[in-house]
Every structure is written in structure tokens, then in C-alpha cells.
Amino acid sequence: EVQLQASGGGLVRRGGTLRLSCAASGFTFDDYAIGWSRQVPGKEREGVACFSTYDDATYYSDSVKGRFTISSDKAKNTVYLQMNSLKAEDTAVYYCAAVPKYGSRCPTLDFSGLTNWGKGTQVTVSS
């Protein structure tokens, strides 16, 4: 069973940093890309980053490019999201999911229809 668990969220001041972790289990890590999305109540889920385990390529939304960094520790089956220069608009629940590693879903951050989202982690940025 594919399982992903996001952790590392918290309350941080504007301009601060957080590092989120996504621990994966139940599947061969290299068989999927790992994507991060976020959701604010009342709004659609937004894809923010994706790590391609196939070629270690990384992809970011315009809203986080230059501030967030996605990386992987394959020995630990874990993907990280380092978030710097946090803004109030980064406040959301952050989720990770296994994404088909071939095709355009990871590069385009198209996570629609994925059902393996794990429990999210709340990030709150105070202004």
C-alpha cells in the first residue's frame, strides 16, 4: 500500500524558514516522482514542487520558485521541501503524493486525480 506522511510544519514568522519531510513507504521509491502541493480552505489544491526520482530533476511553481527547494534522500525514502523567505500567502496545509514518474505530470505539477495524498502538515506564516 502506497503511504506518504508529511511532517515538519509549524508556525513561523514572515521571512523565516521551515523544512518539510515526506516519508514514503509501500512502494519502490524510484518508481514514482514525489510531488508537494498545498491547500487553503475554500481554495483548490495548488501544486508547488515535484522531484523526479528518474533523473533527479526538480520542478517548481512560479509562486515558490527561488524560495523553495525540493530534494531527496533515497536511502531514507524521503523527500524534503526546504522553504525559505516564507510569506503569509504560503500559509496552507502541505501534502505530498506519489506521482507517475514518466510523462508530463511532474514537470507541469499536474497532480489532479491523485488519490495517495498522505496526511498533510500545517504551515502558518505570521506577518
Side-chain angles (χ1 to χ4, degrees):
E1 179 186 3
V2 173
Q3 292 191 337
L4 298 111
Q5 179 65 56
S7 62
L11 174 64
V12 64
R13 300 187 71 165
R14 182 181 58 188
T17 66
L18 278 175
R19 188 177 80 156
L20 305 185
S21 299
C22 174
S25 63
F27 62 97
T28 301
F29 194 65
D30 284 350
D31 284 350
Y32 289 87
I34 302 294
W36 282 97
S37 71
R38 63 188 181 187
Q39 190 166 26
V40 175
K43 294 189 177 181
E44 290 192 1
R45 190 188 299 266
E46 174 193 12
V48 297
C50 192
F51 184 92
S52 172
T53 55
Y54 171 63
D55 57 5
D56 290 353
T58 58
Y59 304 95
Y60 302 94
S61 66
D62 288 343
S63 60
V64 308
K65 194 174 296 181
R67 300 187 297 119
F68 289 13
T69 302
I70 190 170
S71 62
S72 170
D73 185 338
K74 294 182 180 180
K76 295 182 178 179
N77 282 7
T78 299
V79 170
Y80 302 99
L81 187 67
Q82 177 69 42
M83 306 188 297
N84 299 332
S85 303
L86 282 162
K87 305 176 180 179
E89 52 263 44
D90 295 320
T91 295
V93 179
Y94 285 72
Y95 302 88
C96 57
V99 181
K101 72 174 184 180
Y102 297 119
S104 64
R105 289 171 72 87
C106 186
T108 61
L109 304 180
D110 176 14
F111 305 148
S112 59
L114 296 179
T115 59
N116 56 41
W117 299 104
K119 182 179 178 182
T121 186
Q122 175 72 48
V123 172
T124 303
V125 183
S126 64
S127 56

